[in-house]
């Protein structure tokens, strides 16, 4: 699921956007964004990921200039833009529902921002042509937005916001209005166009897959503040809290206590099993922790593993076939249900397990993450 | 009640109501072609009353005055109504917002006699104070524009409410200053609503008799005022002729415009369908 | 920072104009005139020459309140009777419009989708013909030698003409005729939005269609009923043209009293006092209407 981080080290690490302790309070009571700080490097695609109402759009709108922060400052290339109106910021935004001007043609939509800058006519024409061909929309130049399909509208919105060559491009749920199938192909198309132009992006999404495939770094948001900021694989493989682990992908969480706390390993005793974690953690023995284990890291078999640690047994209560893999729901003796995901790497379906079978789940000692929060 | 008899009942009910609504209009038109001096007794068809209408200089000048007032007051109504709609729609919090809301709906709910009386008393006060305005075209215009502003505000507000506020933001994002947001985006999108507000307030003005009676001065009689004074005295076939002419004009305009919009709609649908089929290639 | 300044000042200047223009307009033409009506209703007949009453030379005019007009209004029972009869006619008109309009709006909302715009346009179309002309047309229909009597006599249904003009019947007919669309439109707007699944659910639970109508459709269309009733009742109370043309001298309506006080008796304080009491009378239904409107807005 997680692709390789996208050339995160490519550009010399130059800070483009800096958000400092920004808070936004609506109506004196609703804290939509709560003391958030972040930096976005030049050339980066930075994703804000979080559930509905967590404040992603509010944060993005403050970057665009549609909202002023209640507290804190925003810098773009070391210039304080906190109070700069949107039309004076070298930042452009692609809107959630595209917000294409219905009374203007595709061509005029793309040219709209350039005309405001007073660019000479022939230069505008040249730039618009270039933008349209980038999105493969040349033949639709004369159409009005309502005469385009959803995917075409989405591309018009993208190149419209790129036409002014902004220093920073903001995308609010860029694929939110598309159906699932179109989404996947468009994701890559979008990233290609963005990389071709080489613009820095901040992207808002509630879809973790979208964030994983498109972004070089992800900030996971909840209730107005950041839970974790990091590269997609870090956030996925090393979530720093139960919330992050739960939000990104599927996860089984075992609650338990640290028993042995050694520099090179720890053991965690849970009601279901004992986890032997092959690296040290910041904790102490006796501490209550959660052990997060991704379903794809679990191996299932009918035979009891001959190890002391890192396995448990249960009854198969559900089998969900996904094509490329199959997910088994295992009801452990304690009553807890865990999910295990097996690759279907042969056409001989399943590892011989069916409903009601007793199965053993086991995993390696580097498969899990100990969560102290 | 079974469903078949139910359906018949429903159709009959609707037909009777429509008949009720159109009966007087049909009568007006039919009897305008009546040759008899008695409006209500049919003798034979003729254009006699249209000829009389053509010579009726009082009525004709009243019609011209009404058209002038209706046109001007509709323009004023749309202008101030748009401001009102913007103030109430775009600024959710300001001091006295409730007062503006209730003031702007006052002309909608107050009986015409009260609106007319209060405006007249205000104008007389100002007259005594400043020496103007004289009662006449201008004062009628003020009254009609007040009433029209309230209606126009309703029409424009409903359009503003369904307009995507993201469009304003998008234009600002692309470099529009607040004034340009209005001239380049909001206004062009508002035009259809402004047109319907104009038509509505034009008809309101063209139709008004009470406000005009309060506010007009000597020598300024609008068409409804003339018709009203004649109708009070008795029946007059020239009125039927005037009625038929206005009905004809309005009917043609309404049918033409609805035909035009349905054509546009069909065209739009077709192009949309084409766009989708193209994009799936 | 200079840029920031210009942005916010220009924004607030724009804001000032956008709010200021309509504010000024309505203050001048709606609020102040009503206050003047109130003021004049509290002054004496002799000082109606406005220069006496609004004495700007002393700065703010001295208020010498004179309740004479109100006293007269309270003592002469004719006024009381007229108010009562205006309310009675307005209430009957509202009820008749509801009885005729509700089934109509209901059937309209249930007719095939593609028909509805046309049906709606047919309701609105009479609006575009002068209201005055349509009332005049009823006069030609209703008078004793009018179209209806002539037809009935020629068909030998009756021998002598029926008296249909200048009485409560003609007044109510004119009022119902004029205000019916104002009842139908909000009802239709409400009923056409109503979710049919409620009715299906009710049928599923074994409710008879008639009962379902009373238990579900009617309560759900409460907002439409209130809006329509108020849109009919409020202007009907103060109606002047219809009683003048169709009502004759026997039907008492307060709008005509106001008109006569003003135009025939030239008694401005009295006309103003009549207006003030009328405003107080329609304030209650107006409040109900505004509340219902506000609730509907919230609901959306
Ligand atoms: N203009 C506003 N006035 C008051 N509260 C607001 C306003 N805009 C947003 N909020 C509140 O701020 C919080 C964050 O909203 P925001 O739009 O940033 O969420 P989001 O993360 O973008 O959610 P979604 O994924 O649903 O778009 C929400 O609780 C919302 O109700
Ligand atoms: Mg959002």
């Amino acid at each position: 699921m997680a692709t390789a981080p996208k050339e995160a080290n490519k550009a010399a690490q130059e800070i483009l956007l800096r958000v400092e302790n920004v808070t936004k309070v609506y109506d004196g009571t609703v804290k939509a964004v709560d003391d958030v700080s972040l930096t976005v490097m030049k050339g980066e695609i930075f994703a804000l990921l979080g559930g509905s109402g967590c404040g992603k759009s509010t944060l993005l709108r403050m970057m665009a200039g549609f909202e002023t922060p209640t507290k804190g400052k925003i810098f773009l290339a070391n210039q304080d833009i906190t109070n700069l109106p949107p039309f004076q910021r070298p930042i452009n935004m692609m809107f959630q529902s595209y917000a294409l001007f219905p009374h203007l043609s595709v061509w005029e939509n793309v040219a709209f921002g350039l005309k405001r800058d007073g660019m000479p006519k022939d230069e505008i024409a040249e730039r618009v042509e270039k933008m349209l061909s980038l999105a493969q929309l040349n033949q639709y130049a004369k159409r009005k937005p309502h005469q385009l399909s959803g995917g075409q509208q989405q591309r018009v919105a993208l190149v419209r916001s790129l036409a002014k060559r902004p220093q920073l491009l903001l995308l609010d749920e860029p694929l939110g209005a598309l159906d699932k199938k179109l989404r996947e192909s468009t994701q890559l198309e979008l990233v290609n166009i963005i990389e071709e132009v080489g613009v820095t992006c901040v992207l808002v999404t509630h879809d973790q897959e979208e964030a994983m495939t498109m972004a070089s770094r992800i900030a996971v948001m909840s209730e107005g503040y950041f839970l974790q900021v990091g590269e997609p694989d870090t956030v996925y493989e090393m979530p720093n809290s139960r919330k992050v682990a739960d939000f990104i992908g599927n996860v089984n969480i075992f609650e338990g206590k640290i028993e042995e706390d050694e520099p090179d390993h720890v053991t965690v005793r849970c009601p279901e099993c004992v986890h032997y974690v092959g690296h040290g953690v910041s904790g102490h023995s006796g501490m209550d922790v959660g052990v997060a284990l991704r379903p794809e890291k679990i191996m299932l078999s009918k035979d009891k593993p001959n190890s002391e640690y890192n396995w448990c047994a249960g009854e198969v209560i559900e089998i969900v076939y996904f094509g490329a893999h199959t997910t088994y729901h295992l009801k452990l003796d304690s009553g807890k249900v865990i999910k295990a995901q097996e690759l279907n790497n042969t056409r001989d379906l399943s590892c011989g397990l069916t409903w009601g079978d007793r199965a053993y789940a086991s995993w390696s000692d580097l498969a899990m993450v100990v969560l102290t929060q | 009640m079974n469903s078949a008899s139910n359906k018949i009942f429903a159709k009959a009910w609707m037909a009777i109501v429509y008949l009720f609504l159109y009966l007087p209009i049909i009568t007006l038109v039919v009897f305008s072609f009546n040759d008899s001096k008695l409006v209500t007794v049919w003798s034979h068809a003729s254009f006699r009353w249209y000829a009389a209408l053509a010579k009726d200089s009082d009525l004709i000048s009243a019609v011209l005055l009404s058209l002038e007032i209706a046109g001007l007051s509709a323009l004023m109504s749309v202008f101030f109504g748009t401001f009102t709609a913007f103030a109430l729609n775009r600024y959710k919090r300001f001091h006295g917002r409730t007062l503006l809301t209730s003031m702007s709906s006052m002309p909608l709910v107050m009986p015409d006699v009260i609106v007319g009386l209060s405006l007249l008393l205000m104008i007389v006060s100002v007259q005594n104070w400043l020496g103007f305005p004289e009662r006449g075209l201008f004062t009628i215009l003020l009254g009609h524009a007040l009433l029209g502003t309230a209606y126009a505000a309703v029409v424009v507000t409903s359009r503003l409410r369904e307009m995507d506020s993201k469009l304003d933001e998008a234009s600002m994002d692309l470099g529009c200053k607040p004034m340009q947001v209005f001239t380049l985006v909001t206004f062009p999108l508002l035009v259809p609503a402004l047109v319907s507000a104009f038509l509505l307030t034009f008809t309101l003005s063209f139709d008004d008799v009470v406000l005009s009676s309060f506010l007009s001065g000597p020598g300024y009689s609008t068409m409804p005022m003339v018709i009203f004074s004649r109708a009070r005295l008795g029946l007059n076939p020239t009125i039927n002729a005037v009625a038929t002419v206005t009905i004809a004009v309005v009917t043609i305009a309404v049918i033409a415009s609805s035909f035009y919009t349905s054509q546009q709609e069909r065209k739009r649908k077709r192009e949309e369908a084409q766009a989708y089929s193209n994009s799936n290639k | 920072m200079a840029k920031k300044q210009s942005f916010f000042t220009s924004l607030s200047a724009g804001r000032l104009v956008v709010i200021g223009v309509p504010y000024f307009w309505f203050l001048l033409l709606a609020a102040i005139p009503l206050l003047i009506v109130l003021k004049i209703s509290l002054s004496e007949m002799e000082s109606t020459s406005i220069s006496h009453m609004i004495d700007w030379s002393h700065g703010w005019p001295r208020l010498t309140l004179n309740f004479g007009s109100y006293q007269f209004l309270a003592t002469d029972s004719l006024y009381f009777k007229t108010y009562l009869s205006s309310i009675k006619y307005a209430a009957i008109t509202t009820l008749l419009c509801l009885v005729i309009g509700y089934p109509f709006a209901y059937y309209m909302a249930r007719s095939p989708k593609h028909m509805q715009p046309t049906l709606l346009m047919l309701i609105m179309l009479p609006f575009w013909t002068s209201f005055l002309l349509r009332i005049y047309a009823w006069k030609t229909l209703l008078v004793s030698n009018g179209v209806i009597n002539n037809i009935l006599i020629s068909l030998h249904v009756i021998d002598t003409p029926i008296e249909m003009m200048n009485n409560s019947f003609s007044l109510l007919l004119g009022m119902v005729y004029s205000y019916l669309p104002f009842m139908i439109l909000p009802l239709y707007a409400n009923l056409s939005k109503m979710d049919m699944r409620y009715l299906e659910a009710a049928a599923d639970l074994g409710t008879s269609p008639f009962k379902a109508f009373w238990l579900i459709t009617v309560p759900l269309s409460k907002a439409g009923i209130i809006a329509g009733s108020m849109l009919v009742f409020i202007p009907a109370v103060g109606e002047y043209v219809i009683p003048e043309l169709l009502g004759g001298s026997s039907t008492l309506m307060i709008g005509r009293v106001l008109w006569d006080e003003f135009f025939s008796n030239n008694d401005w304080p009295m006309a103003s006092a009549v207006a003030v009491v009328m405003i107080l009378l329609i304030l209650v239904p107006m409040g109900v209407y505004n509340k219902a409107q506000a609730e509907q807005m919230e609901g959306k």
Side-chain angles (χ1 to χ4, degrees):
Chain A
M1 189 189 293
T3 62
K6 282 191 191 59
E7 305 157 62
N9 309 318
K10 181 180 74 180
Q13 299 285 292
E14 186 186 333
I15 293 174
L16 180 71
L17 179 79
R18 203 164 80 238
V19 173
E20 275 183 6
N21 304 96
V22 160
T23 296
K24 177 72 188 181
V25 181
Y26 283 114
D27 309 323
T29 50
V30 186
K31 221 172 205 180
V33 173
D34 188 1
D35 195 30
V36 162
S37 297
L38 78 104
T39 51
V40 177
M41 303 298 164
K42 208 165 194 166
E44 205 175 13
I45 299 183
F46 189 91
L48 298 171
L49 175 63
S52 185
C54 69
K56 315 173 293 271
S57 296
T58 307
L59 185 55
L60 200 74
R61 291 168 55 77
M62 286 192 284
M63 295 175 190
F66 300 128
E67 310 279 356
T68 30
T70 317
K71 263 200 281 210
K73 287 200 175 310
I74 300 174
F75 296 89
L76 185 75
N78 281 323
Q79 190 206 351
D80 183 355
I81 59 161
T82 316
N83 289 311
L84 215 58
F87 50 87
Q88 286 172 353
R89 297 187 182 201
I91 294 178
N92 285 121
M93 176 147 164
M94 183 183 153
F95 286 81
Q96 193 156 5
S97 47
Y98 311 144
L100 296 176
F101 303 122
H103 59 301
L104 300 180
S105 69
V106 168
W107 198 95
E108 289 164 323
N109 261 286
V110 177
F112 190 92
L114 303 173
K115 283 186 186 162
R116 303 289 83 72
D117 282 356
M119 193 187 250
K121 272 213 166 75
D122 45 345
E123 254 176 78
I124 293 182
E126 194 183 324
R127 179 80 66 87
V128 173
E129 284 312 312
K130 211 158 127 195
M131 285 294 146
L132 290 179
S133 54
L134 197 62
Q136 298 161 3
L137 284 166
N138 300 64
Q139 50 185 342
Y140 303 110
K142 287 209 181 70
R143 292 239 184 130
K144 291 277 172 67
H146 64 81
Q147 299 164 332
L148 298 178
S149 69
Q152 294 165 340
Q153 288 181 10
Q154 191 259 0
R155 298 206 299 273
V156 177
L158 178 68
V159 293
R160 184 180 72 175
S161 54
L162 285 173
K164 291 182 79 167
R165 303 229 171 100
Q167 292 187 34
L168 179 65
L169 176 67
L170 308 175
L171 306 122
D172 193 355
E173 308 266 356
L175 306 169
L178 301 180
D179 56 47
K180 197 170 163 18
K181 193 158 180 216
L182 200 54
R183 249 165 124 138
E184 277 170 22
S185 61
T186 318
Q187 264 172 19
L188 294 175
E189 220 170 278
L190 204 72
V191 174
N192 286 340
I193 293 178
I194 289 170
E195 287 191 337
E196 192 164 333
V197 180
V199 66
T200 313
C201 287
V202 176
L203 158 84
V204 156
T205 175
H206 62 257
D207 179 341
Q208 44 120 353
E209 262 180 63
E210 199 173 298
M212 295 271 174
T213 31
M214 293 178 69
S216 50
R217 271 196 311 150
I218 295 177
V220 185
M221 259 184 112
S222 167
E223 291 161 27
Y225 59 91
F226 284 176
L227 293 172
Q228 186 172 7
V229 183
E231 288 171 13
D233 52 344
T234 317
V235 176
Y236 186 81
E237 299 293 356
M238 282 181 277
N240 66 358
S241 64
R242 291 181 176 81
K243 269 187 183 164
V244 175
D246 205 28
F247 190 79
I248 311 267
N250 276 318
V251 73
N252 303 299
I253 296 184
F254 297 85
E255 300 295 340
K257 264 188 175 39
I258 297 183
E259 237 177 25
E260 279 174 57
D261 179 22
E262 302 292 330
D264 67 331
H265 76 269
V266 289
T267 57
V268 180
R269 180 166 292 276
C270 303
E272 294 81 15
C273 59
V274 180
H275 292 277
Y276 180 96
V277 184
H279 54 79
V281 298
S282 57
H284 52 83
S285 55
M287 187 180 182
D288 285 320
V289 293
V291 177
L293 184 60
R294 302 272 181 207
E296 72 271 15
K297 298 197 166 58
I298 297 179
M299 288 154 291
L300 288 181
S301 86
K302 281 183 170 168
D303 312 315
K304 185 172 174 176
N306 46 13
S307 155
E308 212 177 318
Y309 310 110
N310 294 351
W311 64 267
C312 54
E315 182 192 338
V316 177
I317 55 166
E318 183 76 83
I319 301 174
V320 187
Y321 179 70
F322 283 101
H325 64 259
T326 303
T327 299
Y328 295 84
H329 295 216
L330 225 58
K331 186 170 188 174
L332 305 185
D333 302 335
S334 67
K336 183 180 173 66
V337 176
I338 63 168
K339 288 179 193 169
Q341 191 178 309
E342 304 297 299
L343 276 180
N344 296 325
N345 41 14
T346 61
R347 285 180 57 216
D348 164 29
L349 286 182
S350 83
C351 40
L353 290 169
T354 92
W355 280 270
D357 279 357
R358 189 164 177 82
Y360 295 89
S362 59
W363 51 92
S364 82
D365 52 8
L366 289 175
M368 57 280 202
V369 184
V370 178
L371 304 169
T372 52
Q373 294 180 16
Chain B
M1 249 200 291
N2 66 35
S3 86
S5 71
N6 220 337
K7 259 188 188 146
I8 291 170
F9 181 77
K11 283 203 172 130
W13 190 274
M14 291 181 80
I16 289 169
V17 170
Y18 279 125
L19 184 66
F20 176 58
L21 288 178
Y22 284 91
L23 181 65
I25 297 176
I26 296 166
T27 324
L28 275 178
V29 174
V30 169
F31 280 88
S32 74
F33 298 106
N34 185 5
D35 188 56
S36 164
K37 207 176 197 127
L38 284 171
V39 177
T40 57
V41 182
W42 183 262
S43 55
H44 57 88
S46 87
F47 285 97
R48 181 177 161 193
W49 302 112
Y50 291 89
L53 173 64
K55 279 189 227 117
D56 193 335
S57 62
D58 276 358
L59 197 52
I60 289 175
S61 65
V63 169
L64 293 180
L65 179 69
S66 276
L67 285 173
E68 188 183 350
I69 290 178
L72 288 174
S73 77
L75 280 179
M76 289 166 74
S77 304
V78 172
F79 181 80
F80 288 108
T82 308
F83 267 99
T84 313
F86 264 85
L88 292 178
N89 200 274
R90 290 295 154 90
Y91 301 111
K92 291 296 173 212
R93 263 182 291 268
F94 58 85
H95 288 291
R97 189 173 185 274
T98 327
L99 180 63
L100 185 59
T101 317
S102 24
M103 286 195 304
S104 69
S105 64
M106 188 217 93
L108 300 176
V109 291
M110 286 285 170
D112 288 350
V113 278
I114 293 181
V115 177
L117 176 74
S118 64
L119 266 176
L120 175 64
L121 293 182
M122 188 274 292
I123 285 166
V124 172
S125 308
V126 173
Q127 229 170 43
N128 280 300
W129 179 32
L130 298 173
F132 67 90
E134 278 303 303
R135 273 200 259 164
L137 191 143
F138 177 69
T139 50
I140 301 177
L141 210 53
L142 274 187
H144 289 188
L146 170 68
L147 189 66
T149 302
Y151 280 92
V154 172
V155 175
V156 177
T157 300
S158 67
R159 175 77 186 120
L160 274 182
R161 201 176 290 143
E162 72 193 26
M163 220 153 89
D164 191 356
S165 67
K166 291 277 183 288
L167 292 178
D168 288 10
E169 288 182 354
S171 63
M172 233 188 277
D173 186 70
L174 293 167
C176 281
K177 296 179 183 66
M179 198 56 211
Q180 287 176 317
V181 175
F182 181 79
T183 53
L184 294 173
V185 176
T186 316
F187 182 76
L189 291 173
L190 216 50
V191 165
L194 298 183
V195 170
S196 42
F198 181 89
L199 291 176
L200 176 66
T201 52
F202 186 95
T203 5
L204 280 175
S205 164
F206 200 67
D207 209 12
D208 168 79
V209 62
V210 174
L211 291 183
S212 310
S213 301
F214 272 100
L215 298 171
S216 86
Y220 289 95
S221 291
T222 62
M223 180 187 89
M225 284 167 73
V226 172
I227 292 175
F228 186 52
S229 66
R230 290 187 189 178
R232 262 162 140 178
L233 296 176
L235 304 174
N236 179 334
T238 334
I239 298 180
N240 291 55
V242 166
T244 307
V245 172
T246 57
I247 290 169
V249 170
V250 167
T251 310
I252 290 169
V254 168
I255 290 175
S257 83
S258 73
F259 183 73
Y260 177 75
T261 48
S262 77
Q263 281 289 9
Q264 287 295 92
E265 183 66 14
R266 216 167 292 156
K267 191 172 154 216
R268 206 177 68 92
K269 286 250 170 70
R270 210 169 40 228
E271 284 170 340
E272 226 160 85
Q274 199 188 358
Y276 279 100
S277 63
N278 272 1
S279 75
N280 291 338
K281 270 178 205 165
Chain C
M1 281 300 119
K3 278 178 180 173
K4 171 195 169 184
Q5 274 289 316
S6 74
F7 171 61
F8 282 102
T9 48
S10 82
L11 195 72
S12 62
R15 184 188 153 104
L16 201 68
V17 172
V18 169
I19 295 174
V21 167
Y23 227 101
F24 175 76
W25 175 252
F26 280 115
L27 270 182
L28 181 73
L29 296 178
I32 293 177
L34 283 183
L35 292 178
I36 292 177
V37 169
L38 186 64
K39 166 76 180 72
I40 289 180
S41 76
L42 291 167
S43 57
E44 287 173 51
M45 172 71 156
E46 292 79 59
S47 59
T48 1
S49 76
I50 296 282
S51 54
H52 286 228
M53 232 157 32
I54 299 185
D55 192 1
W56 295 97
S57 57
H58 292 89
W60 192 251
R62 204 160 26 95
L63 275 182
T64 42
L65 299 190
N66 183 314
F67 289 94
S69 304
Y70 289 97
Q71 258 165 25
F72 193 59
L73 208 67
T75 46
D76 192 338
S77 67
L78 183 65
Y79 290 105
F80 182 71
K81 265 196 209 154
T82 312
Y83 277 118
L84 215 59
S85 123
S86 302
I87 291 177
K88 184 187 81 187
Y89 283 124
I92 297 174
T93 304
T94 309
L95 203 67
L96 287 173
C97 283
L98 188 61
V99 168
I100 299 168
Y102 196 101
F104 184 89
Y106 182 81
Y107 295 139
M108 197 159 114
R110 295 284 168 275
S111 35
K113 270 275 169 299
H114 66 275
M115 292 279 292
Q116 291 189 19
T118 315
L119 293 175
L120 194 64
M121 200 176 89
L122 283 174
I123 289 290
M124 313 255 260
L125 209 54
F127 273 128
W128 297 87
T129 314
S130 170
F131 147 78
L132 195 60
L133 289 170
R134 285 177 289 137
I135 295 301
Y136 164 80
W138 275 113
K139 201 171 171 177
T140 69
L141 282 162
L142 295 176
V143 286
S144 49
N145 61 345
V147 179
I148 293 178
N149 273 320
N150 287 349
I151 290 175
L152 290 181
I153 288 174
S154 68
L155 293 175
H156 301 290
V157 180
I158 50 171
D159 305 324
T160 47
I162 313 173
E163 206 47 68
M164 290 182 289
M165 258 303 280
N166 295 335
N167 53 24
S168 314
F169 172 76
S170 54
L171 174 66
L172 285 171
L173 184 110
M175 301 244 276
V176 169
Y177 174 79
S178 306
Y179 290 116
L180 187 58
F182 292 94
M183 179 65 85
I184 290 176
L185 293 178
L187 280 176
Y188 167 74
N190 186 297
L191 287 167
S192 66
K193 260 184 290 174
M194 196 180 293
D195 200 334
M196 283 299 281
R197 277 172 303 177
Y198 290 124
L199 290 178
E200 283 163 14
D204 196 50
L205 295 169
T207 324
S208 75
F210 187 71
K211 232 178 165 178
F213 177 78
W214 281 109
L215 290 178
I216 297 173
T217 314
V218 173
L220 279 176
S221 55
K222 198 179 109 204
I225 294 175
I226 291 177
S229 300
M230 293 302 131
L231 282 179
V232 174
F233 182 82
I234 295 169
V237 171
E239 183 56 53
Y240 166 73
V241 173
I242 303 171
E244 179 67 25
L245 288 181
L246 298 179
S249 51
S250 62
T251 54
L252 300 172
M253 287 291 280
I254 201 64
R256 278 173 90 188
V257 170
L258 190 152
W259 183 284
D260 291 341
E261 291 291 355
F262 188 84
F263 285 103
S264 316
N265 303 349
N266 262 319
D267 190 343
W268 294 12
M270 201 61 217
S272 302
V274 169
V276 169
V277 174
M278 207 197 298
I279 292 172
L280 292 179
L281 273 183
I282 56 179
L283 227 49
V284 174
M286 243 163 73
V288 173
Y289 175 73
N290 279 343
K291 197 167 155 262
Q293 285 295 94
E295 268 168 21
Q296 205 170 15
M297 290 279 158
E298 308 273 291
K300 266 178 196 173

